[in-house]
């Protein structure tokens, strides 16, 4: 019986050592699996930042940016938002790229809402984009590579604590909030 226990302990130790040897360089072992995953993700982000990858998202109120996505819907909803993590939609600095009434839209909370002209909620795959020129304070929509409507807008800088969501905005954003359909390949 004692030999069996010793044998089991040795096999377990060898397996654990083999698994640890196969861990990626950025893997950080902690007390629990969750702590290990969080610490490993932070280590990977630091490594990617040092290599020029994984750059932080631009400030959607003060920087130039383009958001693109492939969508298929007959209803609409939020494509991408940067808004309150716990609070409701109506907080300064919130921004949402969405489909409403069949067309693209962009809402800079308390500032202005802009809408496109082209119907995109037709059940077909559509490549959609919104581009913001911070110097000109101009936002333009694109559908399947073609310019759509746009306009002047002066959004507030992103608020501290706001998070990015795909397919959903903060609570109490105009219906439909959650995207009803398919979203793929979202890029900022």
């Amino acid at each position: 019986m004692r030999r069996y226990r010793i044998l089991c302990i040795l096999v377990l130790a060898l397996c654990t050592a083999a698994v640890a040897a196969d861990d990626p360089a950025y893997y950080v072992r902690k007390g629990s699996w969750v702590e290990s995953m969080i610490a490993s993700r932070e280590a990977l982000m630091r490594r990617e930042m040092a290599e020029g990858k994984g750059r932080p998202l631009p400030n959607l109120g003060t920087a130039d940016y383009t958001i693109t996505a492939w969508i298929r819907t007959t209803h609409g909803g939020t494509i991408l938002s940067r808004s309150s993590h716990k609070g409701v939609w109506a907080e300064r600095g919130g921004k949402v790229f969405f489909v409403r009434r069949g067309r693209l839209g962009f809402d800079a909370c308390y500032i202005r809402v802009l809408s496109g002209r082209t119907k995109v909620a037709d059940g077909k795959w559509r490549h959609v984009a919104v581009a913001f020129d911070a110097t000109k304070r101009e936002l333009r929509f694109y559908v399947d590579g073609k310019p759509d409507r746009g306009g002047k807008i002066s959004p507030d800088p992103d608020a501290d604590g706001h998070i990015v969501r795909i397919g959903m905005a903060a609570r109490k954003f105009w219906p439909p909030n959650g995207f009803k359909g398919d979203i793929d390949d979202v890029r900022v």
Side-chain angles (χ1 to χ4, degrees):
M1 184 69 149
R2 184 174 166 92
R3 281 186 184 172
Y4 179 73
R5 273 194 220 158
I6 292 172
L7 182 60
C8 288
I9 291 170
L10 284 173
V11 169
L12 183 60
L14 288 173
C15 290
T16 304
V19 169
D22 292 339
D23 287 344
Y26 57 83
Y27 189 76
V28 179
R29 290 197 172 270
K30 292 283 186 177
S32 72
W33 177 82
V34 172
E35 291 170 337
S36 295
M37 291 294 101
I38 292 169
S40 296
R41 178 64 187 138
E42 289 171 356
L44 179 59
M45 286 177 17
R46 282 192 300 278
R47 182 173 130 185
E48 287 179 344
M49 293 289 281
E51 294 172 356
K53 301 176 189 173
R55 287 173 269 159
L57 291 175
N59 186 308
L60 301 184
T62 61
D64 293 342
Y65 63 86
T66 301
I67 301 169
T68 65
W70 283 94
I71 64 167
R72 180 172 56 186
T73 185
T74 56
H75 294 83
T78 299
I79 298 170
L80 182 137
S81 73
R82 184 171 235 164
S83 55
S84 174
H85 171 60
K86 293 182 181 178
V88 296
W89 162 244
E91 290 185 13
R92 296 295 286 215
K95 292 149 198 89
V96 180
F97 178 36
F98 59 87
V99 176
R100 185 169 301 123
R101 295 185 196 108
R103 290 160 178 70
L104 295 176
F106 187 88
D107 188 340
C109 188
Y110 289 117
I111 306 294
R112 186 166 184 203
V113 177
L114 295 173
S115 298
R117 283 191 182 126
T118 305
K119 185 173 181 181
V120 296
D122 56 7
K124 298 176 186 173
W125 278 106
R126 300 293 196 144
H127 189 256
V128 298
V130 61
F132 180 64
D133 183 322
T135 305
K136 295 178 183 176
R137 310 306 284 167
E138 191 171 275
L139 186 128
R140 170 97 28 218
F141 298 108
Y142 295 85
V143 178
D144 296 326
K146 297 176 185 160
D148 198 14
R149 190 185 313 185
K152 295 280 188 183
I153 191 167
S154 296
D156 288 335
D158 293 341
D160 290 339
H162 280 194
I163 62 168
V164 173
R165 293 181 180 96
I166 295 173
M168 184 65 100
R171 290 183 297 117
K172 297 189 180 178
F173 182 65
W174 300 346
N177 183 350
F179 192 83
K180 293 181 180 139
D182 300 308
I183 300 177
D184 193 14
D185 199 23
V186 177
R187 296 176 186 225
V188 180

